[in-house]
Amino acid sequence: MSKYVYAIEGLDRLGKSTLIEGIRNRLGYYEVIHFSKPQRLAAYEGAAAVSGVPPQSLQSFHYQRAGFLNSMLLAKSGARLIFDRWHIGEAVYAPMYRGYSGDYVFQQELDTGLADTDNVRLILLWEDFDVSTHFVDDGESLGPIQKRAEEQMRFMEAFAKSNIRDKRMICVTDQAVGGFKPKDWILHEALA
């Protein structure tokens, strides 16, 4: 049995769901929690202003901050969890698309003690744009195709800033052919 909570991060269409399926097939039951775009909830209407957060993004900020705090506390609980996207994406998407810094998540890692635990593995999937031929734009990605390189660079920067101890960056691109690496290779790198 694995002792880890797994957090799978990276751009859209890099195989996060496939990797999660592989982890579950190999290790057994894990609760999968999928983070997507922030929801607009009535509870956050009229939410308190926050320095550096534009008024039109206050609901998103409060929703995201609460969700990441709760999930970090869950990660410390000992439950078998896989986060399909997590707080690292906030450091990427908040400044690019919501107009505020998402770097508060790194302080949340410290405040919750997440940085002091050994049971969380952060995995960043990345694409080698110089040789990759596997991305197909289906129009459903969080950002436009023109922003993929910038998003990935920001993911790598956020990954480096994270205080989580056990971190893996996995290139999903097969350098020889430009397509995806075999799923088993990626799974091996994630679990080794």
Side-chain angles (χ1 to χ4, degrees):
M1 280 228 184
S2 173
K3 65 176 182 166
Y4 290 106
V5 170
Y6 293 94
I8 315 300
E9 292 275 14
L11 299 174
D12 284 341
R13 306 291 175 245
L14 289 186
K16 290 183 293 298
S17 296
T18 301
L19 176 57
I20 290 166
E21 179 183 323
I23 291 170
R24 292 177 85 195
N25 275 311
R26 177 76 53 88
L27 300 179
Y29 181 81
Y30 270 80
E31 185 73 30
V32 177
I33 298 174
H34 183 267
F35 281 85
S36 57
K37 293 179 183 178
Q39 296 179 21
R40 296 186 62 81
L41 301 178
Y44 299 119
E45 287 178 17
V50 176
S51 177
V53 179
Q56 69 273 16
S57 296
L58 278 171
Q59 284 194 353
S60 295
F61 172 81
H62 286 289
Y63 177 88
Q64 295 289 84
R65 185 178 63 180
F68 297 131
L69 177 63
N70 188 64
S71 63
M72 288 179 193
L73 295 171
L74 278 172
K76 291 192 64 187
S77 74
R80 294 169 59 90
L81 301 170
I82 299 175
F83 294 110
D84 182 350
R85 298 186 173 277
W86 201 15
H87 64 288
I88 300 301
E90 178 74 343
V92 174
Y93 297 117
M96 289 185 75
Y97 303 115
R98 295 191 283 277
Y100 61 87
S101 172
D103 284 357
Y104 68 89
V105 298
F106 305 120
Q107 186 61 47
Q108 283 184 316
E109 290 176 344
L110 297 171
D111 292 346
T112 60
L114 188 66
D116 299 324
T117 185
D118 291 323
N119 75 320
V120 177
R121 178 170 290 171
L122 174 60
I123 298 170
L124 176 64
L125 301 181
W126 65 281
E127 174 181 7
D128 184 339
F129 294 121
D130 292 333
V131 297
S132 68
T133 59
H134 49 79
F135 177 72
V136 176
D137 187 10
D138 61 1
E140 294 184 15
S141 294
L142 289 176
I145 190 170
Q146 302 86 348
K147 296 280 192 173
R148 274 180 83 73
E150 181 183 353
E151 286 177 6
Q152 181 163 279
M153 177 200 66
R154 288 176 180 258
F155 265 111
M156 290 177 169
E157 290 170 351
F159 179 86
K161 285 181 184 178
S162 174
N163 299 293
I164 293 174
R165 293 178 181 176
D166 186 351
K167 301 190 282 189
R168 309 270 168 101
M169 285 182 61
I170 301 173
C171 180
V172 300
T173 307
D174 185 324
Q175 299 297 308
V177 297
F180 277 107
K181 283 181 185 174
K183 291 184 279 189
D184 288 347
W185 294 8
I186 295 169
L187 179 62
H188 176 75
E189 287 184 60
L191 297 180

